[in-house]
Amino acid sequence: MAEEQQQRTDVGELGEFALIDHLTKNFETHNASTLLGIGDDAAVLESLGSQTVVSTDMLVEGVHFDLTYLPLKHLGYKSVVVNLSDIFAMNAEPTQITFSMALSNRFSVEALEELYDGVNLACQEYGVDLIGGDTTSSQSGLIISITAIGEVHESGYVGRDGAQENDLICVSGDLGGAYMGLLLMEREKKIFNENPAIQPDLEGNEYIMKRLMKPEARKDIITWLNEQKIQATSMMDISDGLSSELFHITTKSNVGCTIYEEKIPIHLDTKQMAMDLQMASVTAALNGGEDYELLFTIPQGDYEKITMSEEISVIGHITKAEDGRKLISNSGNEMPLEAQGWNPLKK
Ligand code: ADP
Ligand code: MG
């Protein structure tokens, strides 16, 4: 045994992104076909002039999902959709997935059929083929890993690093709903655990529950942008909250941003739930996760075109890096945007 103590750094000290950077910084690219590697929603490969995107995600029971309220069929559907979301976020169309799982003997064949029904539904809905995977055992619940492959639209892939000063910042749909759905389910689960005779009270909250349990990837937005020939300068999907994603885009693009609280799209049901829970709904939009909407930037010249879509909101604009990242509140106060996305390593 060595006399000196070996250095031991806790992963939590670095955080997810610094950890990935740290572990991968010494890797070189050996192939010209690797157009874009680590650091975006998906990697981009090029062969014979056409671009393919590849993205992988892992979902762990107890960290990313809770089977006490997420039925297996929904889990199957959702786990595929969240991967496809990364493919769309590159301006690509998903074509194939692989589905791998590690499972404990707690899961019956019937339970796994449910899971696969959900996977199949998503494959049908998005026109994607299941082409393989891997199955192994686990001692602690269910772990799912999905790789999604897609083809980039003719207009080329859109990364996180192309935002330019004065570009408009856009988001699709509305934000914060999935997080409010999660808080609602956590509340009902707690009540149920304390008194199993009380049935969950979910009425009137269908919208936020759907946002949590059956999210959709925004294929429609990508199709529309391409039809309208609107060329996004940067894009990513919103899986960790608007704040954290804006942080990624502005860092990669070496720019700053200003967004306006009043322009952040939040559904009425999300606002209602936030009020019930005595929190600001903008906090859910900025720091909640799992909305799977798209965040992208466009040149100012496309403003007229973008207003034709009711599904897209312009929430602010890109500034110089030295101007920082700012949120202008409804009362006109200027606040620095913090990057406090969900960090599963800190959970
Ligand atoms: P997203 O939230 O869009 O799924 P992630 O935050 O998971 O993206 O990952 C950011 C980037 O880091 C991606 O390019 C991903 O492929 C890469 N990455 C994540 N984990 C690892 C790892 N363990 N080794 C190498 N690359 C990784
Ligand atoms: Mg992503």
Side-chain angles (χ1 to χ4, degrees):
M1 279 258 233
E3 292 277 306
E4 310 150 37
Q5 278 239 310
Q6 267 221 320
Q7 194 186 340
R8 188 192 183 283
T9 311
D10 215 70
V11 247
E13 270 178 48
L14 284 185
E16 183 184 349
F17 301 112
L19 176 68
I20 298 168
D21 282 349
H22 180 72
L23 295 176
T24 59
K25 63 175 187 277
N26 296 327
F27 284 72
E28 289 164 13
T29 303
H30 302 289
N31 299 283
S33 53
T34 307
L35 214 56
L36 183 72
I38 295 166
D40 219 299
D41 293 300
V44 184
L45 316 180
E46 188 168 54
S47 86
L48 304 172
S50 86
Q51 295 177 354
T52 301
V53 286
V54 186
S55 170
T56 294
D57 259 316
M58 187 141 67
L59 297 164
V60 178
E61 184 176 358
V63 179
H64 301 99
F65 59 89
D66 184 336
L67 289 172
T68 52
Y69 56 73
L70 187 66
L72 278 163
K73 187 171 176 181
H74 281 77
L75 174 63
Y77 189 86
K78 180 171 172 174
S79 55
V80 174
V81 164
V82 307
N83 272 270
L84 302 187
S85 178
D86 278 324
I87 300 295
F88 290 118
M90 299 301 291
N91 189 34
E93 291 293 323
T95 46
Q96 288 90 10
I97 57 161
T98 64
F99 188 94
S100 304
M101 57 188 178
L103 39 108
S104 65
N105 55 14
R106 198 175 107 230
F107 295 91
S108 64
V109 174
E110 290 73 19
L112 296 172
E113 280 171 359
E114 289 274 308
L115 178 70
Y116 268 70
D117 278 350
V119 172
N120 201 358
L121 191 63
C123 286
Q124 287 168 12
E125 203 71 40
Y126 291 90
V128 168
D129 304 321
L130 173 67
I131 55 159
D134 195 20
T135 307
T136 182
S137 59
S138 137
Q139 299 200 331
S140 56
L142 180 63
I143 299 169
I144 292 172
S145 171
I146 297 183
T147 296
I149 299 167
E151 286 167 12
V152 176
H153 279 274
E154 255 176 48
S155 47
Y157 81 83
V158 180
R160 297 176 178 180
D161 61 354
Q164 305 279 333
E165 193 186 344
N166 296 325
D167 279 356
L168 301 174
I169 302 171
C170 305
V171 296
S172 65
D174 56 78
L175 302 177
Y179 185 60
M180 282 298 117
L182 178 71
L183 293 190
L184 169 70
M185 293 312 252
E186 295 285 350
R187 183 183 79 181
E188 295 304 316
K189 183 181 159 187
K190 195 159 163 258
I191 294 172
F192 181 79
N193 283 341
E194 282 164 10
N195 186 351
I198 301 178
Q199 285 303 303
D201 175 19
L202 303 172
E203 233 185 84
N205 289 312
E206 290 79 9
Y207 181 74
I208 56 173
M209 274 166 55
K210 187 156 186 261
R211 296 295 284 165
L212 177 70
M213 311 236 280
K214 196 167 180 284
E216 301 292 350
R218 297 311 301 257
K219 178 185 174 73
D220 57 330
I221 300 290
I222 296 304
T223 304
W224 188 81
L225 290 173
N226 278 284
E227 276 168 11
Q228 298 296 322
K229 302 211 176 337
I230 298 172
Q231 180 72 44
T233 49
S234 69
M235 180 155 50
M236 66 183 296
D237 70 334
I238 307 178
S239 52
D240 294 339
L242 180 61
S243 230
S244 157
E245 317 303 25
L246 273 172
F247 196 88
H248 286 306
I249 282 193
T250 49
T251 305
K252 287 260 152 131
S253 302
N254 193 23
V255 291
C257 68
T258 297
I259 61 164
Y260 298 85
E261 181 181 359
E262 61 181 6
K263 299 205 187 303
I264 298 174
I266 300 175
H267 194 277
L268 268 181
D269 292 2
T270 305
K271 288 186 181 165
Q272 185 59 51
M273 192 69 217
M275 216 138 78
D276 290 355
L277 297 175
Q278 298 182 328
M279 67 178 281
S281 57
V282 70
T283 309
L286 290 172
N287 302 326
E290 299 210 293
D291 286 315
Y292 301 106
E293 295 295 342
L294 293 170
L295 167 68
F296 55 97
T297 52
I298 56 165
Q300 280 215 350
D302 282 332
Y303 177 72
E304 292 289 322
K305 276 193 195 169
I306 214 83
T307 56
M308 293 190 306
S309 169
E310 288 185 358
E311 286 294 314
I312 298 172
S313 308
V314 177
I315 61 164
H317 58 272
I318 296 293
T319 57
K320 286 193 175 71
E322 53 266 35
D323 294 335
R325 305 174 183 91
K326 293 174 193 156
L327 171 74
I328 311 295
S329 76
N330 288 345
S331 51
N333 289 331
E334 194 179 291
M335 292 183 274
L337 265 181
E338 306 285 348
Q340 357 169 306
W342 277 7
N343 188 342
L345 293 178
K346 284 191 188 146
K347 270 193 176 171

